Amino acid sequence: MEGSQSKSGVALCVEGGGMRIAYTGAIVCALQEAGFTFACACGISAGASVTANFVAEMPWRTRAMFVDGVESEESEHYGGWLGLAKGNGYFDADYLYEGCIEDGSYPFDFERFQENPANWATQAFEADTGRTAIWQKSELGDALSMASHVRASSTMPMLMKPIAIDGHVMYDGGLGHGAGIPITIAEELGYERFVVVRSQVRGYRKQPIPPLMRDLYFRWAGRYPLVAKALIDRPAAYNETLDHLDELEREGRALVICPDAMPIKNTTLDYAELDAAWKAGSAQGAREATRVGDFLEA
């Protein structure tokens, strides 16, 4: 990660959540369509995809990948449990990140991404060291590099095939600092005011991992026990980050947008459900515009 420095402006922070982005990504796209810009866009896991598309000014790409794709010619790459059983992952990461850019199905305007004055950042979890790796857009060389780093941040344990970056096998950034809520990235980069789009309803808190699942995590993780430990520790870390976010909200330094409802799961692949979630998120995003505008002008 490049050296952090104090910066003015507001950071947009988008939580991940797999296919739940069909709802919250629509909120982000509605804000972009309303003309809002931010000094930085930080995202973790699926939120990294949404924020990269935001900085590249490609809102259509978020809808294409998280809604329309499940009924397109590329639908086979949303493999579901059958894809997982075949060894391709619940989501075919080889295709849905680098591959779809290479074949032109979901092109990415890297030039526009780099020319946008807004910064972009994401993070992933190093399986061997347990460290949180943070990357900014200036560290990326091209569209495929962007896709690889987004993929690293999005690799859900047990559901997707990981990749190595800088010699480290990477897993979902939600296992790292902040437990999936990228407010911690923005703070580390020096930002002090935040618009945060969450993927769970207000009041949601994670429950502790039951003992049986803890054993399963360690058996699955094998030579990467730090991944299992991060999975087990994540609920407490997530709830701690939410407590911090609540404090920032009380201080007037954070505007938090939680979905009115979350009708889908992180693994939902039904087009009708995803489309309905997108429409609901778009409507909420339009309603949030006044509140966001007032916060940015404050």
Side-chain angles (χ1 to χ4, degrees):
M1 184 190 74
E2 295 181 339
S4 302
Q5 56 182 323
S6 179
K7 298 177 179 147
S8 61
V10 176
L12 172 66
C13 304
V14 181
E15 184 180 4
M19 300 306 285
R20 288 197 295 269
I21 286 292
Y23 189 113
T24 54
I27 292 176
V28 174
C29 290
L31 296 180
Q32 185 157 41
E33 289 166 4
F36 293 118
T37 60
F38 298 88
C40 182
C42 304
I44 294 176
S45 196
S49 292
V50 173
T51 50
N53 295 337
F54 184 92
V55 174
E57 300 176 16
M58 303 175 74
W60 67 266
R61 195 171 186 270
T62 295
R63 161 116 193 166
M65 297 196 69
F66 289 96
V67 180
D68 297 331
V70 302
E71 275 205 340
S72 69
E73 293 180 359
E74 290 74 43
S75 61
E76 64 183 292
H77 300 290
Y78 298 80
W81 300 115
L82 181 59
L84 184 65
K86 290 181 177 179
N88 296 324
Y90 191 91
F91 302 103
D92 181 358
D94 290 339
Y95 181 81
L96 292 174
Y97 295 92
E98 300 93 341
C100 66
I101 292 176
E102 290 179 305
D103 74 3
S105 296
Y106 301 123
F108 184 82
D109 192 336
F110 188 74
E111 182 176 357
R112 182 180 295 178
F113 175 75
Q114 288 286 29
E115 290 178 351
N116 191 322
N119 193 13
W120 174 85
T122 191
Q123 72 181 39
F125 182 84
E126 294 181 355
D128 55 336
T129 68
R131 292 195 298 258
T132 301
I134 297 177
W135 303 292
Q136 299 180 67
K137 76 173 185 178
S138 60
E139 300 172 72
L140 309 178
D142 54 26
L144 292 180
S145 174
M146 178 283 304
S148 295
H149 285 76
V150 169
R151 173 180 175 176
S153 180
S154 304
T155 301
M156 293 187 285
M158 297 187 283
L159 294 181
M160 296 169 65
K161 293 191 298 182
I163 59 171
I165 293 181
D166 299 328
H168 300 282
V169 172
M170 297 290 183
Y171 277 98
D172 196 298
L175 300 182
H177 297 163
I181 302 174
I183 187 79
T184 51
I185 299 178
E187 288 180 314
E188 186 161 340
L189 295 180
Y191 296 95
E192 297 181 351
R193 299 182 70 234
F194 321 92
V195 170
V196 182
V197 179
R198 293 193 50 214
S199 64
Q200 298 285 4
V201 298
R202 188 170 290 275
Y204 170 85
R205 290 294 189 273
K206 289 190 179 296
Q207 299 301 311
I209 303 298
L212 185 61
M213 287 301 297
R214 297 183 184 198
D215 293 340
L216 175 62
Y217 287 157
F218 276 106
R219 288 199 299 271
W220 164 80
R223 64 193 181 100
Y224 296 125
L226 292 177
V227 176
K229 184 177 186 303
L231 283 165
I232 294 167
D233 293 344
R234 189 181 176 218
Y238 183 89
N239 295 342
E240 182 179 341
T241 302
L242 289 183
D243 291 341
H244 174 55
L245 186 57
D246 288 345
E247 182 179 356
L248 291 174
E249 196 173 17
R250 287 192 295 270
E251 293 173 356
R253 292 174 52 204
L255 183 151
V256 181
I257 300 174
C258 295
D260 294 334
M262 182 45 67
I264 54 176
K265 300 178 180 179
N266 62 346
T267 54
T268 297
L269 293 176
D270 180 87
Y271 174 79
E273 294 180 11
L274 295 171
D275 182 57
W278 181 274
K279 291 174 180 175
S282 294
Q284 181 176 350
R287 293 196 305 272
E288 299 284 359
T290 298
R291 194 161 69 103
V292 172
D294 290 345
F295 179 81
L296 294 179
E297 292 174 5

